[in-house]
């Protein structure tokens, strides 16, 4: 079965600095990879996805993610963090052979300090 | 469009009680899913549906039933509530089509406490 791991429970960065939130995955076929963000007391919101094509995927709010097949990773990045980026971030994966069966990581709490 | 709506927002049950969590979407999405969110465990898939009349089990289906009689609605039933089912429940929908899976739209969640 497919799975994802987010090795860091918490990431702290200073405003204006680059940020990285890590994700590694495991699938039997080709992966479909997603990043979502959750603000307090809200549902998840879609940020970006990798299906095929360019390894660098650009998404909402200035976020981007790099797909690395050899390292089975899909790290989320942003060149300059904002205090408003502070939230809970989830990586998710779906195996291309299993319809609608999405698996999420445990989440990484990002805190951006002024 | 209202998007994905869930009712109730909060619910307290006693052990052994049953209830239904409602989920509806007005985007004509084929796919719908139920997740539970627990601290440190992320979201875990309970049940999902790829269209009206079609449902399947996810990662943690025990103690839950679903049905999909219409495209719009996907209720989740707790048959006999247990304290282990205390969690935040999210419903999500997505559309079918394109070159791969599409992003999911999430409801605001239902916070359930079982005493």
């Amino acid at each position: 079965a497919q799975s994802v791991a987010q090795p860091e429970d918490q990431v702290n960065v200073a405003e204006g600095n680059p940020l990285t939130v890590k994700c590694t995955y495991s699938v039997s076929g080709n992966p479909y990879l997603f990043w979502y963000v959750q603000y307090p007391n809200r549902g998840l919101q879609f940020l970006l996805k990798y299906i095929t094509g360019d390894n660098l995927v650009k998404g909402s709010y200035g976020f981007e993610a790099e797909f690395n097949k050899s390292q089975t990773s899909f790290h989320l990045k942003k060149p300059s963090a904002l205090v408003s980026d502070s939230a809970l971030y989830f990586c998710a994966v779906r195996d291309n052979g299993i319809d609608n069966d999405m698996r999420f990581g445990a989440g990484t709490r990002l805190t951006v300090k002024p | 469009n209202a998007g994905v709506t869930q009712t109730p927002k909060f619910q307290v049950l006693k052990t052994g009680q049953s209830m239904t969590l409602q989920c509806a979407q007005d985007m004509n999405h084929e796919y719908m899913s139920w997740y539970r969110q627990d601290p440190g465990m992320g979201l875990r898939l309970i049940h999902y549906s790829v269209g009206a009349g079609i449902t399947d089990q996810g990662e943690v289906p025990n103690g839950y039933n679903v049905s999909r009689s219409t495209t719009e609605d996907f209720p989740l039933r707790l048959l006999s509530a247990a304290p282990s089912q205390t969690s935040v429940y999210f419903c999500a929908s997505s559309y079918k089509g394109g070159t791969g899976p599409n992003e999911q739209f999430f409801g605001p969640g239902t916070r359930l406490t079982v005493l």
Side-chain angles (χ1 to χ4, degrees), chain A residues 25-70:
Chain A
Y25 67 89
S26 174
V27 296
S28 56
N30 291 323
Y32 297 136
L33 295 154
F34 296 77
W35 275 102
Y36 288 84
V37 60
Q38 185 181 33
Y39 297 101
N41 301 313
R42 302 284 296 275
L44 277 69
Q45 298 176 31
F46 170 75
L47 280 178
L48 52 80
K49 67 180 178 182
Y50 172 83
I51 303 298
T52 186
D54 289 341
N55 290 339
L56 186 63
V57 179
K58 294 189 183 296
S60 306
Y61 313 121
F63 284 93
E64 57 189 27
E66 186 169 10
F67 172 67
N68 187 318
K69 189 172 183 177
S70 63

Side-chain angles (χ1 to χ4, degrees), chain A residues 2-111:
Chain A
Q2 66 269 35
S3 65
V4 291
Q6 294 181 242
E8 300 159 318
D9 293 335
Q10 175 93 29
V11 170
N12 297 315
V13 298
E15 188 175 29
N17 282 1
L19 69 87
T20 298
V21 182
K22 296 180 180 178
C23 172
T24 59
Y25 67 89
S26 174
V27 296
S28 56
N30 291 323
Y32 297 136
L33 295 154
F34 296 77
W35 275 102
Y36 288 84
V37 60
Q38 185 181 33
Y39 297 101
N41 301 313
R42 302 284 296 275
L44 277 69
Q45 298 176 31
F46 170 75
L47 280 178
L48 52 80
K49 67 180 178 182
Y50 172 83
I51 303 298
T52 186
D54 289 341
N55 290 339
L56 186 63
V57 179
K58 294 189 183 296
S60 306
Y61 313 121
F63 284 93
E64 57 189 27
E66 186 169 10
F67 172 67
N68 187 318
K69 189 172 183 177
S70 63
Q71 297 186 3
T72 61
S73 67
F74 189 57
H75 300 331
L76 182 70
K77 300 180 179 183
K78 188 174 183 181
S80 179
L82 300 172
V83 172
S84 57
D85 292 330
S86 298
L88 193 54
Y89 289 81
F90 291 97
C91 182
V93 67
R94 207 204 82 179
D95 190 303
N96 68 348
I98 304 173
D99 218 356
N100 209 38
D101 184 358
M102 192 80 73
R103 300 300 169 99
F104 284 78
T108 298
R109 185 164 300 281
L110 172 69
T111 302

Side-chain angles (χ1 to χ4, degrees), chain B residues 39-95:
Chain B
M41 302 188 73
L43 274 74
R44 291 182 292 169
L45 183 65
I46 304 171
H47 286 285
Y48 63 97
S49 169
V50 298
I54 305 169
T55 63
D56 207 344
Q57 296 182 352
E59 193 179 355
V60 289
N62 292 341
Y64 307 95
N65 273 358
V66 292
S67 60
R68 184 100 180 268
S69 57
T70 67
T71 299
E72 295 78 18
D73 300 300
F74 191 44
L76 178 72
R77 296 183 193 82
L78 279 70
L79 308 174
S80 177
S84 61
Q85 294 178 304
T86 294
S87 188
V88 181
Y89 291 84
F90 288 101
C91 180
S93 73
S94 63
Y95 56 95

